[in-house]
Amino acid sequence: MTGERARGAVLYATAGLVVAGGGVWWFLSAPPERGNAQINEWRAAVERELPDTRSQADAATAVLGAGADQSFEASVETGEYRVSLICRGGPETVVRVSLSQYGRDSGLGLQCSDQRPPNTFKVGLGDVVRLNVVVSDDGPVVFRYSVERVFD
């Protein structure tokens, strides 16, 4: 019986070492993350440069990781709208934004690393506005959009 207990103890000790070693490896091999302070700074910047207004039909702010592919959708009345987009991120970060419902168009490329003002354009919409946002592999980024009805 003592031989079986010794083998069991060795087996459990070995399993414990493998689990502990795997945990250490997992923590040490994780890519460095940008601190929450940097994300909070980027969020404050995009919300300051593209603030909420009473006349907007929809707006949202999102933190998107590297390589993210995110869709935003909102119901709107048929008409002409002003869409404003802004993003902030580290060096070389880019997002591509498209309005395509079916398939993928090349979209509009936005540099997130510079202190650029919001990109704004007009578009005719009916029922729904869909924004497909794809982040480059250099993320994360903070992305914000606003949709406002244009009355001429």
Side-chain angles (χ1 to χ4, degrees):
M1 273 271 220
T2 57
E4 288 181 23
R5 284 188 178 179
R7 280 188 294 225
V10 169
L11 180 64
Y12 284 121
T14 303
L17 287 174
V18 169
V19 168
V24 168
W25 170 81
W26 188 76
F27 281 107
L28 293 178
S29 66
E33 292 186 22
R34 298 205 184 269
N36 284 341
Q38 181 68 70
I39 299 291
N40 291 340
E41 182 181 319
W42 291 338
R43 179 185 294 273
V46 299
E47 290 177 349
R48 180 179 55 251
E49 293 184 42
L50 188 57
D52 285 331
T53 63
R54 286 187 283 145
S55 61
Q56 70 192 24
D58 190 45
T61 303
V63 177
L64 304 172
D69 188 347
Q70 178 78 35
S71 291
F72 298 91
E73 186 173 302
S75 296
V76 295
E77 296 177 10
T78 300
E80 188 175 28
Y81 288 83
R82 180 178 303 111
V83 178
S84 299
L85 313 167
I86 190 168
C87 63
R88 289 291 178 262
E92 307 296 322
T93 54
V94 177
V95 297
R96 293 207 72 75
V97 181
S98 64
L99 294 172
S100 177
Q101 179 179 355
Y102 302 106
R104 292 279 183 193
D105 60 28
S106 63
L108 172 67
L110 298 175
Q111 295 286 332
C112 301
S113 57
D114 297 329
Q115 300 300 318
R116 297 174 188 237
N119 191 311
T120 301
F121 56 91
K122 289 183 182 178
V123 64
L125 299 171
D127 293 346
V128 176
V129 58
R130 284 184 188 84
L131 296 172
N132 298 309
V133 180
V134 179
V135 180
S136 67
D137 292 335
D138 298 314
V141 301
V142 176
F143 173 78
R144 179 162 174 79
Y145 75 91
S146 175
V147 179
E148 187 173 355
R149 181 81 185 260
V150 176
F151 296 99
D152 289 330

